[in-house]
Amino acid sequence: MRIGIVSAIEGADWGGSEPLWVTAAQAALAAGASVSICLQRPMPDHADLVRLRADGAAMVAELPDTRLAAELARRAGVFSHRLGDVLTRRLSPTRRFFEQDFDVLLFSEGGAVPSSDNMQRVLAGFPRTRLVALGHSRPPDSFNARTRRLAIAYLERAQAALFVSQATIAHTEKVLCRRIPHARVVRNPVNLVDTGGVAWPVGTTATMALVGRLDVVTKGQDLLFEVLATPAWRERDWVLDIYGTGKDEVFLRDLAVYLGLADRIRFRGHAEDIRAVWRDAQILLQPSRIESAPLSIVEAMLCARPVVTTAVGGIREWVTEGESGFVAPAATAELIAQALERAWAARADWEHVGARGRSAALQRYDPDPGGTLFGILVDAVRL
């Protein structure tokens, strides 16, 4: 079986959308399938890609200066379409990927659907190839007419349209004003070498953790800081460890100083070992403004830690108020403050809440998401 995989993400070389297609590619190679991978960005320096290439995957990525050159070629095409197409094919290694013949194409998009150009390229370039569409993030609240038309055609063309939460499917269908045929939920791999529970930390200080990209527009860390700076929280015995990096790290460090929280909030950088985070911390705080299905919540729950979060994206598919965590109905400082108050009032029960959350997560998470996705690819070819 010949499998083509396209990975498209914006603004980063690597992201949370990548491990799922990587593990599916590993499963496919182990089963003897031919795997070709197209990265629509310069080749990242990542160990997963080194392993895939060593296992026999063919790989192509954009050259660092390809995008500018391709734009110049496109502009030249205004005057000579044939010249523009020839220049773009020669300058863009990934464009040639779309001229190959596969049994099935997996298009993994960091958003909900690919860009209009990519959808048009898939629809035009693979008339006989089976398509599996994989979207990771929540779509915007509206599309322009062209994008909406292409998204409907693209998703209806797919033998399977995969999303990481039921809420993302529902929102995408609302934006498109159309039911998505063959839509289903798949799970991302968790970043845990062991999914056993982690022993409860000993100590009188409430140890809280926030895990994820430092991006206030999506993750809402500024809202949490605002709540923790209130008089009630200043009088309580707590520390907050922040794990992650991102574009807003300097802002958040400055905000912690401005709000007088610099001695209570500790920036720990990227966490290589998630289980080590939960050996020290008792509860996850996840004040997101925008989410689909955050792995940080799933990982915390599998490690038997309660969660304080917001009812955005698919979070309520994982966290139940009072049972496995405490959920603010929306991402506002006032509602997050209320959820935190409920959590603090139940502090003596945190260990039991975490245990209940672990039981719930074990029923929902997929222990072999790569194998599941590879099975979907196989089924798409058989249809």
Side-chain angles (χ1 to χ4, degrees), residues 57-103:
M59 210 167 298
V60 64
E62 288 288 0
L63 300 173
D65 58 351
T66 294
R67 292 185 180 181
L68 175 60
E71 174 63 15
L72 293 174
R74 186 191 67 78
R75 294 185 182 184
V78 172
F79 305 102
S80 171
H81 293 291
R82 181 170 297 180
L83 174 61
D85 287 343
V86 168
L87 287 173
T88 302
R89 277 196 298 274
R90 289 190 175 183
L91 292 168
S92 173
T94 63
R95 186 180 178 95
R96 294 193 293 274
F97 175 91
F98 287 84
E99 297 172 352
Q100 298 181 59
D101 190 21
F102 301 108
D103 295 311

Side-chain angles (χ1 to χ4, degrees), residues 189-271:
V190 295
N191 185 25
L192 295 169
V193 295
D194 176 3
T195 56
V198 177
W200 191 255
V202 177
T204 58
T205 299
T207 51
M208 307 185 295
L210 195 159
V211 182
R213 186 174 69 256
L214 302 187
D215 179 348
V216 299
V217 171
T218 57
K219 300 299 184 180
Q221 295 98 337
D222 57 320
L223 298 174
L224 177 62
F225 285 22
E226 185 179 340
V227 175
L228 295 177
T230 59
W233 281 94
R234 288 183 186 278
E235 295 174 1
R236 292 168 175 163
D237 183 16
W238 59 268
V239 293
L240 173 64
D241 287 318
I242 296 182
Y243 295 90
T245 60
K247 65 182 182 64
D248 287 330
E249 180 172 350
V250 172
F251 165 67
L252 288 168
R253 286 179 179 274
D254 289 346
L255 185 61
V257 173
Y258 172 70
L259 294 174
L261 298 174
D263 60 334
R264 313 283 290 276
I265 295 177
R266 303 178 295 198
F267 290 82
R268 300 295 200 181
H270 176 68

